Amino acid sequence: MSQKKLVKQLLKKLDKLEAEREKLIDKLAKALDKLEKTTPAKKVAAKKGAAKKVTSKKVPAKKVVVKKIAAKKVPTKKAVAKRAPAKKVVPITIAQ
């Protein structure tokens, strides 16, 4: 196929994809509108009159004695920095 035909085919495919994209965007917009319309209706229906307060007897909770164990402190060892022995520079003498 020639390049012109390929370009035409690709442009047709691109147009189709753009049209599908726009349709999907419209569907999403409609779905969002429906959701926005239904949520306020549910909130209005959810309101109820003042509920009666029922007094319940409070039962004292049992206290459990927990023994605290002192954590053992482990003495930390300080790492001694080891120095690499300095390299001695040997002067090079040229015999004349």
Side-chain angles (χ1 to χ4, degrees), residues 26-42:
D26 290 339
K27 285 183 182 179
L28 285 173
K30 288 178 183 178
L32 285 174
D33 289 340
K34 284 182 183 178
L35 283 175
E36 287 176 359
K37 288 179 183 177
T38 56
T39 50
K42 287 182 182 178

Side-chain angles (χ1 to χ4, degrees), residues 19 58 91:
K58 291 184 180 179

Side-chain angles (χ1 to χ4, degrees), residues 17-30:
L17 289 173
E18 285 179 357
E20 288 177 13
R21 179 178 168 260
E22 289 175 3
K23 287 178 186 177
L24 289 174
I25 290 173
D26 290 339
K27 285 183 182 179
L28 285 173
K30 288 178 183 178

Side-chain angles (χ1 to χ4, degrees), residues 1-65:
M1 274 194 228
S2 68
Q3 288 182 345
K4 288 182 182 180
K5 287 183 180 179
L6 287 173
V7 171
K8 284 182 183 180
Q9 285 180 349
L10 290 174
L11 287 174
K12 285 181 183 178
K13 287 182 182 180
L14 182 63
D15 289 338
K16 286 181 184 177
L17 289 173
E18 285 179 357
E20 288 177 13
R21 179 178 168 260
E22 289 175 3
K23 287 178 186 177
L24 289 174
I25 290 173
D26 290 339
K27 285 183 182 179
L28 285 173
K30 288 178 183 178
L32 285 174
D33 289 340
K34 284 182 183 178
L35 283 175
E36 287 176 359
K37 288 179 183 177
T38 56
T39 50
K42 287 182 182 178
K43 287 181 181 178
V44 172
K47 290 183 181 179
K48 295 181 181 178
K52 294 181 182 179
K53 291 184 180 179
V54 179
T55 56
S56 61
K57 294 181 181 179
K58 291 184 180 179
V59 180
K62 294 181 182 179
K63 292 183 181 179
V64 179
V65 178

Side-chain angles (χ1 to χ4, degrees), residues 55-84:
T55 56
S56 61
K57 294 181 181 179
K58 291 184 180 179
V59 180
K62 294 181 182 179
K63 292 183 181 179
V64 179
V65 178
V66 178
K67 293 183 180 178
K68 291 185 180 179
I69 300 172
K72 294 181 181 178
K73 291 186 179 179
V74 179
T76 57
K77 294 181 181 179
K78 292 184 179 180
V80 178
K82 294 183 181 178
R83 283 187 151 183

